[in-house]
């Protein structure tokens, strides 16, 4: 099944982050006929924003997103730093031509912004997340850059994201952007939401206006590392065609973005990983 338009293949550049810098990754994607990528901020910073934007253009690539803004919870004294950091992320997304800035919102302040005093108050962290997104939304609206909240699996609630289900992310969207004007939505990453018994209904609830990105990989059993043991599509237990079907029914027409953090896949040559992504995207995703 070949899909050039909706659900066409995009490579999240973290998938091959250990095999080359961003310029090398974008050139390799283009060589493989891959039409879209989603770069990470640190990879962009390593080569420079102007050079990264030029490499996107010169290779004829589209973006499926920009990773990432967020990490809102912090010591109150650092609020301006967090705000400015996120505004810069919006501006970089704009310079690169991204369709959305993905937000990983952060967990407890001491992990989200190291150096912040330790706390166990996850409710307070969630309030800071909501306030932070509300504030960033003004800047993002002015820039015309949609924000995509990515709910993360609950195992990351302490250190990476205290938004842990699609329902929770959509509730945030409804409170902060009740008009559903396209400024705020969600990134659906199968790794984080595949287990959700209400996933189909939640994707339907999100609808076209809120579905801004679709990240794919697979869930391995057993999972050896909480962060860096994601599976290649087809190697695990996620029913990818089923979830893709729900996304299509809801009106999503963007890319299938392969995002695999895996020590195993980082140890293979970039060409092998990209060729495998192409094959698996065609065969099982
Ligand atoms: Zn993701």
């Amino acid at each position: 099944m070949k899909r050039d338009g909706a659900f066409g293949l995009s490579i999240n550049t973290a998938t091959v982050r250990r095999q080359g810098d961003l310029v090398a990754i974008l050139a390799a994607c283009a060589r493989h006929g891959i039409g879209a990528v989603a770069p990470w901020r640190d990879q962009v910073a390593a080569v420079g924003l102007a050079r990264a934007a030029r490499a996107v253009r010169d290779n004829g690539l589209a973006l499926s997103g920009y990773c990432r803004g967020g990490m809102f919870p912090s010591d109150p004294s650092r609020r301006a730093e967090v705000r400015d950091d996120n505004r810069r992320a919006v501006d970089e997304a704009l310079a690169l031509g991204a369709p959305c800035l993905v937000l990983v919102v952060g967990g407890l302040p001491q992990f989200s912004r190291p150096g912040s005093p330790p706390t166990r108050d996850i409710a307070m962290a969630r309030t800071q997340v909501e306030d932070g997104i509300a504030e960033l939304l003004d800047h993002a609206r002015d820039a015309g850059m949609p924000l995509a909240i990515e709910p993360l699996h609950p195992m990351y609630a302490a250190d990476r994201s205290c938004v842990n289900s699609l329902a929770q992310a959509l509730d945030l969207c409804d409170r902060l952007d009740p008009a559903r004007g396209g400024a705020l939505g969600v990134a659906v990453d199968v790794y984080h939401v595949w287990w959700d018994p209400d996933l189909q209904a939640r994707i339907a609830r999100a609808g076209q206006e809120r579905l801004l990105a679709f990240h794919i990989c697979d869930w391995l059993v057993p999972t050896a590392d909480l962060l860096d043991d994601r599976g290649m599509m087809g190697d695990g237990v996620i029913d990818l065609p089923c979830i893709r079907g729900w996304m299509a029914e809801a009106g999503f027409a963007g890319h299938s973005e392969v995002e695999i953090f895996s020590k195993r896949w980082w140890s293979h040559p970039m060409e092998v990983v990209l060729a495998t992504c192409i094959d698996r995207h065609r065969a099982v995703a």
Side-chain angles (χ1 to χ4, degrees):
M1 197 187 326
K2 179 79 183 128
R3 295 175 295 273
D4 285 325
F7 302 97
L9 176 61
S10 171
I11 297 292
N12 183 297
T13 57
T15 304
V16 283
R17 65 155 63 250
R18 302 235 176 123
Q19 289 95 324
D21 72 7
L22 187 66
V23 171
I25 293 169
L26 300 190
C29 285
R31 267 201 312 280
H32 281 265
I34 294 163
V37 294
W40 279 67
R41 284 189 85 189
D42 61 323
Q43 292 173 294
V44 168
V47 301
L49 179 61
R51 195 162 161 237
R54 200 163 54 238
V56 169
R57 274 197 311 275
D58 290 352
N59 286 295
L61 293 163
L63 260 62
S64 57
Y66 185 47
C67 293
R68 57 182 164 60
M71 297 295 165
F72 295 104
S74 73
D75 181 73
S77 67
R78 297 174 63 186
R79 230 185 124 177
E81 171 199 326
V82 173
R83 181 197 62 209
D84 293 348
D85 178 42
N86 275 293
R87 287 183 178 175
R88 276 195 303 276
V90 166
D91 299 343
E92 290 164 21
L94 204 63
L96 291 163
C100 63
L101 173 67
V102 172
L103 297 181
V104 172
V105 300
L108 296 170
Q110 63 268 36
F111 304 111
S112 166
R113 297 282 168 175
S116 302
T119 172
R120 294 188 171 91
D121 193 347
I122 193 169
M124 184 266 296
R126 287 178 169 139
T127 301
Q128 287 195 0
V129 164
E130 185 154 350
D131 292 348
I133 296 175
E135 189 178 26
L136 183 62
L137 197 52
D138 289 333
H139 181 77
R141 271 207 186 95
D142 289 347
M145 179 53 59
L147 301 176
I149 302 170
E150 180 167 348
L152 262 54
H153 190 284
M155 68 182 171
Y156 303 113
D159 55 351
R160 286 171 196 275
S161 175
C162 55
V163 172
N164 305 107
S165 71
L166 204 46
Q168 191 189 353
L170 290 169
D171 288 347
L172 264 175
C173 291
D174 287 350
R175 287 199 296 275
L176 298 177
D177 176 44
R180 297 176 70 92
L184 188 60
V186 294
V188 174
D189 185 326
V190 298
Y191 195 72
H192 298 301
V193 301
W194 72 277
W195 54 270
D196 188 336
D198 297 321
L199 185 57
Q200 181 178 14
R202 285 163 177 182
I203 288 173
R205 173 187 162 193
Q208 191 173 16
E209 308 87 359
R210 295 265 197 244
L211 294 172
L212 300 182
F214 181 44
H215 299 175
I216 61 171
C217 66
D218 216 331
W219 183 281
L220 301 178
V221 180
T223 288
D225 186 294
L226 292 189
L227 193 60
D228 294 333
D229 193 29
R230 293 188 180 205
M232 180 62 68
M233 297 80 71
D235 288 348
V237 297
I238 301 179
D239 191 340
L240 290 162
C242 173
I243 299 176
R244 189 192 68 227
W246 293 340
M247 292 288 289
E249 272 168 33
F252 180 75
H255 291 87
S256 292
E257 177 184 319
V258 175
E259 183 183 42
I260 299 175
F261 312 140
S262 163
K263 287 169 188 154
R264 180 180 156 207
W265 288 102
W266 284 325
S267 73
H268 289 294
M270 177 143 51
E271 307 294 326
V272 172
V273 179
L274 295 179
T276 307
C277 289
I278 291 169
D279 286 348
R280 299 296 182 87
H281 171 250
R282 215 173 262 150
V284 299

